[in-house]
Amino acid sequence: MAIEKILKDDASEEKGERARMASFVGAIAITDLVKTTLGPKGMDKILQSTGRGNEVTVTNDGATILKSLHIDNPAAKVLIDISKVQDDEVGDGTTSVVVLAGELLREAEKLVAAKIHPMTIISGYRMAAECARNALLQRVVDNKENAEKFKSDLMKIAMTTLSSKILSQDKEHFAQLAVDAVMRLKGSTNLEAIQIIKKPGGSLKDSFLDEGFILDKKIGLGQPKRIENAKILVANTAMDTDKVKIYGARVCVDSMSKVAEIEGAEKEKMREKVKKILGHGINCFVNRQLIYNFPEELFADAGILAIEHADFDGIERLALVTGGEIASTFDNPESVKLGHCKLIEEIMIGEDKLIHFSGVEMGQACTIVLRGASHHVLDEAERSLHDALCVLSQTVNDTRVLLGGGWPEMVMAKEVDELARKTPGKKSHAIEAFSRALVAIPTIIADNAGLDSADLVAKLRAEHHKEGCNAGIDVISGSVGDMAELGISEAFKVKQAVLLSATEAAEMILRVDEIITCAPRKREDRM
Amino acid sequence: MALAFDEYGRPFIILKEQDQKTRLRGIDAQKANISAGKAVARILRTSLGPKGMDKILQSPDGDVTITNDGATILEQMDVDNQIAKLMVELSRSQDYEIGDGTTGVVVMAGALLEQAERLLERGIHPIRIAEGYEMASRIAVEHLEHISQKFDFGASNIEPLVQTCMTTLSSKIVNRCKRHLAEISVKAVLSVADLERKDVNLDMIKVEGKVGGKLEDTELIYGITVDKDMSHPQMPKQIEDAKIAILTCPFEPPKPKTKHKVDIDTVEKFQTLRLQEQKYFDDMVQKCKDVGATLVICQWGFDDEANHLLMHRNLPAVRWVGGVELELIAIATGGRIVPRFQELTPEKLGRAGLVREKSFGTTKDKMLYIEHCANSRAVTIFIRGGNKMMIEETKRSIHDALCVARNLIRNNSIVYGGGSAEISCSIAVEAAADKYPGVEQYAVRAFADALDSVPMALAENSGLQPIETLSAVKSQQIKENNPHYGIDCNDVGTNDMREQDVFETLIGKQQQILLATQVVKMILKIDDVISPSDY
C-alpha cells in the first residue's frame, strides 16, 4: 500500500543524510560568500537592492552583506542570524563569526562522512570551545590600571578594526577620532551620544571630531547668527496652531466677524505662549516640532534664535549635552532647567549650513563629521566607524585585550590540539577538527592578501610552539611578524563572542536530521 | 456502495454527490489510518532521548524554527491528513496537561498502531484489540504506581527537583548548561508555589528572552521585566522604594464614549476651553503626586504636555505597557489597577524595592526591571542566547522544565527514566497477559511489545544496538527484580537509573500511556473515511 501523505501539497520533507547535506551546503555557501571580505586585504562586495532605484551599497561589513541577502536555506538563515546578533552585541567580528561557524560545519561534514555520529561531534566541539576560551583567558592582557597603556591599547584596537575597512588609508586619523569620542562617553555604551554627520565633498582626511554639538538645521530668518553665552530652552511643543485637545471640540460660528474674533484669540494664545517662553530669559529656543511663521517672527523680534523641527534624537542629544530639560509647558519658568553653552554659531561644511553649539556644559556627547567623495564612501565609512566605536565602547567596559592577526586563533588551535591528544574516544577527532577550523581563519586572511597561506601558516604554527610567542600574520610585509611590536590588538570580548556563537550555531545545525518546509503561504493576487 | 434500493427496487441516494468524494471502508480504512499515524510517529522517533536530533521547520512565511520538542514540531508541521491531525492533538493535550513527554506519547501511540496492524492482519476484530489495549494500559498504570517512589523535598532541599528537571532538559539543545537552567526553573516554581495547597500558578512565571550574551547569562529575576523605557529620556533611571500607580487611563483629555460635540462660537468659550484643558493635565499629574506615587505605569500614551509635567514634578512614568504585563505588575507589587484618576488612593499603590532601567549591547535596547516587589510571588526568567532560534528553543525547554517541577509539587511520586519504567511495565503486562482467556490476550501481549519501542528508540538514537541492549536490560530487570535498569544513553557505564539520577514524574508517564491508548482506540474504531476528493 502506498504511504499515506500526511503533509500538505506543496510542503516538502527532507530526512537524515539529505537534510544534513542541505544544511551543510547552505551554510558553507554562505561562508564562501563572505570569506573573501575577511582581513585587512579583504575585498568589498556590491549589493544592489531590488527596490525602487536599484540602490547600490558597497561594503565589507559581514553583517550588512548578509542582512541584504534573501536566503531560502534554513541553515543559512541561522548563520545570518548569528552575524546580526554579533553586530548588535559587540559590533565587530561579524564576518569572522560566520566564517568560523562555516569552517566548523565543513569539518563536521568530513567527520559525518567518516561515520561519526553528530552528537559525538557536538560534544567534542563543546569541549574544544571551552578549552579554547580558557586558552584565551590565560593569555589576555588587562591594562585597566594603567590609563596611558590602556589608551594605547584602545588606539591599537581601533586601528586593527579599521584596517580591514575602507578607512584603512587614514586609519590613524580615524582611530584617533574614535578613541577620543569613546573616551568622552566615560564608560557608558550608549553610542547615541556620538552623532555622525555625513557630508559629501572633501576627502576622508578632512573628517573631524567636534567637541560640541552640531545640529543639521538652519537658523530662522532674521535671527542672530551668533550667540555667546547662550541660554537654551529645549522644547517639545506645538508651535503651529495650538489645537484644542479636548475630544469633539470644533469651531462653529455664524458670521465672518466671529471667525475673525476666534482667529484673533488664537493668535493671542500663541503670542502668550511665546511670551511665556521668553519669560524664561533665554536667547535660544529649540523645538522638536514645527515653528510656524508667526511665532518665528515673534522670536526674531525678541532677538532670539529659534530652531524648528530638530528630530527626536537631535533634541535628546542636545538636552544631554547642554544639560537642559525637554520642556512642554511653560507656566513656571523658575523651575525649568535651561541648557547652557558658550557659543552658538552657524558654520559651513561644504555647501551646507549647520548650527554649531560649542563650549557645552556636559562633555559626554560629541559629533563626528565625515567627509568623503561620494555617498557610497560615506556610508561605508560610517559603518566602519560604527564598528570601531562599538568595539571601543565594549572594550572600555571589559578591558581585556588580545593580540590580533590570527594570533588568538593559533593560540586556541594549539591548546585544542593538545586537548585532542589527551582525550580518549571518538571525540578526539571532533576536537582535532575544531582546531583545524580555527587555523582556517589565519589561512583565509593570508589567502585574501594574496600570500602563500600554506607556507605562512606552517611557519606560524612552528613559531607558536615556543612559549609566550607573539607571532601572527603580518599582511603588509607578507611574513610572520611579532604582533605586539606591530601593535595589532583585538578586544577579548569580541573574540569570545565569535567563538561561542559560532560553536553554538554549528551545534544547532549539526543536531538537525530533518527539515520540514511548509507550503508557502499563497499570495493573494491583487491584480 | 452509497447507492441503495428500497423494497420496490427504486434507487435512492444515501451519500450526496458521491462521485466527488473518496471513500475508504473496512480494513482498508483502518490500514490507511494506521499508516498515517505511524508516519507521524516516525518523524518524532529520532528526537527522543538525550541524543535525539532536532528538526528544522520552515513556516509558510519562511521563518525557521529549530526544535526538539514534540509538540512544537507537530504544531508547526501543518499536517493535512485527518489521522495525523489526531496525533498532533494527542501531543498537544500532553503538552497542556503535563508539559513534558510530548515526543514520548506520540512514539508510544505509533508503536501501538504498528502492533495493532499486525493483529488486524491476523483477523482480530479492531474492537477486541482496543479492549485488550485498554486492559493492558490499566495494568501498566497500576504497575507504574507500584514501582514509583515518593521523595521528599522542601524549600531547603531542592536537589531532587533539580535532578528531575535536568532529566527533562538533557534532551534539549540547552543541555550544555542544564544544571544552571534546572536550578533556575526549580527556584522559579518554588517561589510561586503554594506548598500547602500543592498548587502552582505558572502564569506567575514570565519567561522573557533577549538575543545576545551567552546561555549561561540566563538569570532569574525576583520581580518583573518590562520591555519598555521611561517616557521621558531625562527621568531618573533608578527608583528605590518605589510606590507605583498602575493606570489604565491615558494622560490625555477624556474621550467620552457617547458622541458629542463641543461647539466653540465665541472667544470666551475658546479661552475657557483652553484653561480647562491646561487644568485637566495639571490635575491629573497632581492627583498622582498627591497620593504619594513615585512611579506611574500607564497602559496608554501620554500627551507631550502631560509628559513634561510628569518630568517636571519629578514623577517618572512608563507608557504603553501591555495589559498582561500590567496585571503581572499589579499582582507582584500588590497594587490595584486604577481605571480613573479620581479613584486613585494611597492604598491602591503598588510597592517595589527597586525599579531600574537596564540597557543592552550596542543598540538602544532598554528594559525596565521591577524587583523586590511587595508581593514577591511573581518571578521572571530572563533568557540570553546566541541567536533568536536558540532563545525560542530555550523558552520551550524552560517551559517543559517548569511543568515538570510543577507536577512534582502536585504529586511527588517519581519513576525512573531512561526507558526503565517502560521496560518494567512491559514485563508486568506480558506476565499479566496469560491470565486473560479471550482474544484480548493477544492485544495485551502486543501492548507489552509496544511499550518496548520507547527504550528501543532511545537505544537506537544513542547509537547502541537496539535489540541487543533492550534484551540485556530486560533480562537484568527480571533476574534482579529491580525496575531501575534502563538504557545507558550517555555512556556513563551503569544502567541503573537510580545511580544516574534520571527521574521522570509518575503522572507524566501515566498520562502518556493513557493518552496514547485512548487515541489508538479512537483510530482503531474508525472503519469509514469519507472525504471530499481533490478537485
Side-chain angles (χ1 to χ4, degrees), chain A residues 77 88 269 324 335 504 511, chain B residues 54 62 176 234 274 312 362:
Chain A
K77 276 189 185 155
D88 289 347
K269 185 180 165 192
S335 60
E504 220 164 70
R511 281 177 69 102
Chain B
D54 289 4
R176 182 156 51 97
Q234 287 164 322
R274 214 186 85 213
H312 199 78
T362 59

Side-chain angles (χ1 to χ4, degrees), chain B residues 100-282:
Chain B
D100 185 34
T102 50
T103 314
V105 69
V106 175
V107 172
M108 180 76 211
L112 285 174
L113 286 173
E114 200 173 323
Q115 295 294 337
E117 192 178 17
R118 243 175 256 165
L119 295 177
L120 281 176
E121 271 165 16
R122 292 163 79 172
I124 298 178
H125 193 271
I127 299 293
R128 303 298 284 270
I129 302 176
E131 268 166 21
Y133 276 2
E134 181 71 42
M135 289 172 197
S137 74
R138 225 175 295 138
I139 298 169
V141 168
E142 268 166 32
H143 182 71
L144 277 177
E145 195 120 352
H146 179 63
I147 61 168
S148 73
Q149 290 182 347
K150 299 249 175 210
F151 72 164
D152 292 322
F153 59 87
S156 52
N157 178 21
I158 58 168
E159 189 56 30
L161 287 176
V162 173
Q163 290 288 356
T164 321
C165 287
M166 271 165 67
T167 310
T168 305
L169 290 176
S170 61
S171 65
K172 317 278 176 187
I173 194 167
V174 296
N175 63 5
R176 182 156 51 97
C177 55
K178 59 180 173 186
R179 173 92 216 170
H180 183 61
L181 292 180
E183 272 171 18
I184 285 181
S185 317
V186 171
K187 278 184 195 154
V189 169
L190 278 180
S191 66
V192 302
D194 187 344
L195 285 177
E196 262 156 45
R197 272 197 313 121
K198 295 201 169 185
D199 195 20
V200 183
N201 185 2
L202 283 188
D203 288 344
M204 309 270 268
I205 302 176
K206 207 171 139 211
V207 183
E208 282 276 333
K210 197 138 200 131
V211 178
K214 318 192 278 287
L215 206 53
E216 282 83 358
D217 296 338
T218 302
E219 53 179 343
L220 177 67
I221 298 159
Y222 289 98
I224 290 175
T225 58
V226 185
D227 203 352
K228 289 277 176 291
D229 51 357
M230 296 290 182
S231 64
H232 197 289
Q234 287 164 322
M235 282 176 181
K237 306 279 181 229
Q238 188 162 353
I239 307 153
E240 279 169 27
D241 287 324
K243 296 198 184 85
I244 307 170
I246 305 161
L247 299 170
T248 52
C249 45
F251 273 90
E252 269 163 19
K255 288 182 183 166
K257 299 240 164 48
T258 44
K259 265 203 166 170
H260 73 291
K261 287 204 174 73
V262 182
D263 283 348
I264 304 170
D265 50 4
T266 61
V267 176
E268 290 76 49
K269 276 194 184 167
F270 184 79
Q271 305 281 27
T272 41
L273 209 59
R274 214 186 85 213
L275 286 175
Q276 187 87 42
E277 185 188 293
Q278 274 181 349
K279 195 167 158 299
Y280 195 84
F281 284 127
D282 213 51

